[in-house]
Amino acid sequence: MDNFEEDNRRLKFEAAKQLLAPGCKRNATISVLNTLLDRVLTQPENVQASNSRTSYSRNEMMLDSAGIYTGDEDASDQDLFVVERKTFKSLCSGLVQQCGCLSNPSWTIASFIKKGHVARVQFVCPHCKQSRVWASSRVLSGHYLANQKLVHAFTCAGMLPRQYMNFALFAGMGVVKHKYISSVYLNQLYQQVVTDVAEESMKAAVERVKESPHHAKSGEQHRVAQTREVACTKIVLPQVIARGLNITEVAHDYQATIKLYVRQLGMVNSYDTWHGTKNVAKQLRHICAGTVRTRDRTWFTELSDKARCTKVHLYWCMRNCGGNPVRLRAMIMNISKHFQGDHQSCSSESPCQQPGYVPKRKPLTMPAAISAYEAALRKTLIYKNADSCHLCRDTYWVESFNHQLLTYLPKRIHFHTKTFEMRMNLAVMDWNENCQRMATSHHEYTDVRRPDHHSTYNVLVKKTYRFVNNIWSMYVLRNITSQQILQDDEDDDEMVLPDDAAMYDGDYVDSEDDDYVCSEDGGDDEEEDN
C-alpha cells in the first residue's frame, strides 16, 4: 500500500499493522484487513456525503475513534464515561444543527467535566462563540440517572461499595463515593423500595405455597427450618404462621431447646438427617482403630471397616422406616445382624437377599466386637432420638439460602442495620425467584477424595433477575412522583442539546452532589468525603 497523501496516516497504519501481525494466525485475516484499508485510505478527500454540509474529512474525524489503538495517545484520552441511548441520540442530532450565526456546524469541545460516571461537555461555535452543554445522562431528583442506576446495579449484584469503587476507578469510568451512595440509599428512598419489593416477593411466595396441591391435602405438612439460634425460631415461626400457612412440623439442627419449644406449640419436631449422622464415624473410631497392644480388647479388627458404612446404613434406615420410631430402632440394631450374616430382617430389595451375594465387609464373629458395636449403635443420635428422626427430614432449603446469603452478606463484613436489612431483602428476592429452577440435564461425578461416593449434579436453567428490574422501576416511579423541579446554578448559563434530553421526566438541573469530577484539562480530581 503506497497511496498515502499524508505521512502521519502512513505511520499510523504501519504501527497498527505491526501490532496486529504477531497475533494473527491466518494470512487471510491480514489480506482482508489490507483490502478494507486500501479502499478507505485511497478514497479522495473531497468526496461529499449525502448532507452537503458534512464533508468526508469530518466523517473521518468522527469515526477515527473506531480505528485501531496504537498506544500513542495520552492516558487521559482513555477515560471512559457512561451514556444513555437517548442522550447520545440528542448529541448526534445537536452536532449537525446550525447555531445563531447560520454557519456550517463545526462545534469544538471547550470543556469536559465528569461527575461520577457522567460526562458534561461544553461545545462552542468557533464563529460566533455560542456555547451549548451536553450531559451523557438525564437527571432524576437532582442526581444523574446513570450514577443512580450504577449504584443500583452494584448493590443488586452483591458487590461491596469498596469493590465497586476499585473496579470503576481502575477502569477509568469515574466513581461515586460513600456520601453519594448513602444519599441514594436513604434520601432517594432506595432502601425503602427494596423493602417494599421484598415484601411483595414474600407475599407471592406464600400465595404459591397456599395454591399448591400439597397445601389443600388433609394432613399435609409444611416444614420450617431455622438453624443455629433458638431466638430466631421464636421470632420467625409466629410470623410465618401469621401469613396463613399451616405449619405442623419444624425441622432444624440438633437443638434441644427448639425441640421443647416446638412441642409446646403442638407441632412435630424433626432433626436434620445430616447433623444426625455427621459424627457417626468419629463416634465409632475408638472401637474401629487403636494400638497393637489394645487390639481385640478395646478395638477390634472386625470393625475396622465399619465406621463409614454405618453412616450409610443409618441413612437407609431413616429413609425406609415408614415414619415409625420403633421400627427405626429395630432397623438400626439389625445392622449388626447384617454384618454377622443374618439377613432374615433385611429388606427384600437389599443386595444381601440376592443369590450369590458376597459381603464386602469383614464378618462379625467375635462376641466382644458384636457387643461393642451394638453398644455404639445405641449411643448414636439417630437411635436415641428416633422420635425426631423417623420422618427423615433435612434442612436443604435453609442451607441453600445460607449459601445464597453469602453473596450479599459476607461473614467477614459488619454492616449497618439498614444496610444489613436491605442486603438481606435482596438475598430473599434472589432466592425466591431462583430456588426451584428446572434442571436441563444431569451429570454424575466422583470426588477424587472419596472414590466410593457418587453424586448427581443437576445442570439448572439460567438464573433470572426480574426483581432487579422491579426495584428499579419502583425506584424511578417514586422519585418522579416526589421530584421537585430544581434551578440551575447561577454561574451555569448553559443550554442543553436538545433541551428535552436532560431531565428524566422534567427540566434539566445540575448535580452538585456527585463526588467524582474531572477537571477541564482531563485530569482526575476527587472530592474527599468528610
Side-chain angles (χ1 to χ4, degrees):
M1 300 178 60
D2 41 24
N3 188 5
F4 289 94
E5 298 183 1
E6 297 180 7
D7 292 338
N8 60 344
R9 295 176 66 190
R10 179 193 296 275
L11 294 176
K12 285 185 177 182
F13 172 77
E14 293 295 339
K17 186 174 181 180
Q18 291 177 4
L19 288 175
L20 275 179
C24 295
K25 301 298 183 182
R26 298 181 180 178
N27 294 330
T29 304
I30 294 295
S31 177
V32 173
L33 180 61
N34 288 336
T35 303
L36 293 176
L37 291 177
D38 278 337
R39 294 181 180 180
V40 173
L41 297 177
T42 55
Q43 291 183 10
E45 292 290 341
N46 58 356
V47 175
Q48 300 295 322
S50 57
N51 189 343
S52 59
R53 295 174 300 176
T54 305
S55 65
Y56 174 77
S57 59
R58 180 172 298 137
N59 286 339
E60 183 186 63
M61 179 183 65
M62 293 178 64
L63 297 178
D64 185 64
S65 61
I68 301 171
Y69 178 70
T70 59
D72 57 349
E73 293 90 352
D74 188 81
S76 61
D77 294 335
Q78 304 171 23
D79 207 19
L80 310 178
F81 62 89
V82 178
V83 58
E84 289 186 70
R85 182 189 296 268
K86 185 172 183 179
T87 56
F88 180 71
K89 290 182 179 179
S90 70
L91 173 65
C92 295
S93 62
L95 288 176
V96 297
Q97 293 179 0
Q98 289 183 339
C99 62
C101 63
L102 301 179
S103 61
N104 291 334
S106 57
W107 300 99
T108 59
I109 297 178
S111 65
F112 177 90
I113 302 175
K114 196 165 66 173
K115 295 196 172 184
H117 304 283
V118 179
R120 284 170 43 85
V121 185
Q122 182 181 12
F123 295 92
V124 177
C125 177
H127 304 288
C128 63
K129 305 303 180 182
Q130 179 182 353
S131 65
R132 296 181 181 180
V133 174
W134 171 82
S136 63
S137 173
R138 293 168 287 178
V139 175
L140 176 66
S141 295
H143 297 272
Y144 283 119
L145 181 67
N147 289 338
Q148 298 179 64
K149 191 164 188 178
L150 285 176
V151 172
H152 160 70
F154 88 76
T155 303
C156 291
M159 296 176 63
L160 298 175
R162 176 51 56 188
Q163 293 172 335
Y164 147 76
M165 291 178 188
N166 289 341
F167 163 76
L169 187 63
F170 299 159
M173 57 184 295
V175 65
V176 294
K177 293 298 187 65
H178 291 286
K179 180 181 178 181
Y180 185 93
I181 296 172
S182 299
S183 176
V184 173
Y185 284 168
L186 300 176
N187 301 338
Q188 305 299 111
L189 308 175
Y190 186 83
Q191 290 181 342
Q192 183 61 41
V193 168
V194 172
T195 301
D196 295 343
V197 177
E199 185 68 22
E200 295 296 327
S201 174
M202 288 183 281
K203 288 181 180 179
V206 171
E207 292 301 323
R208 286 196 299 269
V209 173
K210 291 181 179 180
E211 295 174 358
S212 63
H214 302 288
H215 190 269
K217 291 182 180 180
S218 175
E220 189 65 29
Q221 300 170 341
H222 292 290
R223 302 179 298 277
V224 178
Q226 180 63 41
T227 59
R228 292 186 297 273
E229 295 294 338
V230 178
C232 291
T233 302
K234 294 182 177 180
I235 294 174
V236 171
L237 195 57
Q239 293 181 357
V240 175
I241 296 175
R243 293 180 179 270
L245 291 180
N246 181 26
I247 307 300
T248 60
E249 178 186 353
V250 176
H252 58 92
D253 298 351
Y254 181 64
Q255 294 286 347
T257 308
I258 297 180
K259 177 181 179 179
L260 178 62
Y261 172 71
V262 168
R263 290 188 172 178
Q264 288 176 352
L265 297 178
M267 300 179 184
V268 177
N269 178 78
S270 291
Y271 287 154
D272 174 43
T273 56
W274 183 83
H275 289 85
T277 58
K278 68 174 183 177
N279 292 324
V280 170
K282 184 177 180 180
Q283 293 172 357
L284 297 179
R285 185 179 303 169
H286 70 284
I287 62 173
C288 297
T291 62
V292 176
R293 185 175 59 180
T294 59
R295 182 173 57 187
D296 295 335
R297 287 190 296 173
T298 59
W299 71 276
F300 306 90
T301 55
E302 294 180 351
L303 299 177
S304 59
D305 58 347
K306 303 296 189 298
R308 296 182 61 182
C309 64
T310 301
K311 179 178 179 179
V312 179
H313 279 275
L314 290 175
Y315 269 119
W316 188 90
C317 293
M318 287 187 290
R319 192 167 54 247
N320 296 276
C321 68
N324 189 334
V326 177
R327 188 184 178 195
L328 174 59
R329 287 192 174 98
M331 295 176 68
I332 292 176
M333 299 309 301
N334 186 61
I335 299 176
S336 176
K337 296 181 180 180
H338 170 77
F339 289 131
Q340 296 177 46
D342 183 4
H343 306 296
Q344 293 181 0
S345 300
C346 295
S347 173
S348 59
E349 299 178 356
S350 299
C352 61
Q353 297 288 8
Q354 306 302 323
Y357 168 73
V358 178
K360 297 180 180 179
R361 309 294 177 182
K362 298 176 182 179
L364 285 179
T365 57
M366 297 178 59
I370 296 173
S371 177
Y373 186 60
E374 291 180 350
L377 291 177
R378 292 189 183 95
K379 293 180 181 179
T380 59
L381 179 65
I382 305 300
Y383 186 89
K384 292 189 297 184
N385 297 275
D387 56 342
S388 296
C389 300
H390 61 288
L391 297 177
C392 194
R393 305 304 189 192
D394 60 69
T395 56
Y396 167 79
W397 295 111
V398 172
E399 301 300 337
S400 175
F401 175 72
N402 289 341
H403 179 74
Q404 174 67 39
L405 198 61
L406 296 178
T407 302
Y408 298 91
L409 292 169
K411 292 182 178 180
R412 61 185 181 86
I413 304 296
H414 178 75
F415 294 95
H416 188 272
T417 302
K418 291 293 184 181
T419 305
F420 179 88
E421 293 176 354
M422 178 188 67
R423 286 179 168 266
M424 175 68 76
N425 288 328
L426 291 172
V428 168
M429 289 184 285
D430 191 349
W431 192 78
N432 283 345
E433 186 173 336
N434 298 286
C435 66
Q436 292 182 329
R437 288 177 290 159
M438 301 297 295
T440 59
S441 59
H442 306 277
H443 294 285
E444 291 188 358
Y445 69 93
T446 301
D447 192 344
V448 294
R449 296 171 296 181
R450 296 186 295 175
D452 59 335
H453 182 74
H454 301 276
S455 300
T456 301
Y457 176 77
N458 296 330
V459 180
L460 304 179
V461 299
K462 189 176 181 179
K463 291 183 66 174
T464 60
Y465 298 95
R466 291 188 296 270
F467 74 95
V468 178
N469 294 331
N470 294 338
I471 293 173
W472 180 248
S473 300
M474 183 178 292
Y475 173 77
V476 170
L477 180 62
R478 290 192 180 181
N479 279 275
I480 289 177
T481 303
S482 61
Q483 181 173 257
Q484 296 179 355
I485 300 178
L486 304 178
Q487 300 296 329
D488 295 344
D489 296 337
E490 294 181 358
D491 56 347
D492 253 350
D493 185 14
E494 58 189 33
M495 293 178 58
V496 180
L497 265 184
D499 295 335
D500 60 354
M503 190 71 174
Y504 195 74
D505 198 26
D507 294 332
Y508 172 78
V509 294
D510 193 5
S511 175
E512 299 179 344
D513 299 328
D514 297 308
D515 299 304
Y516 188 94
V517 300
C518 263
S519 57
E520 293 185 4
D521 59 356
D524 293 344
D525 181 20
E526 291 190 14
E527 297 180 1
E528 297 294 338
D529 295 334
N530 295 324

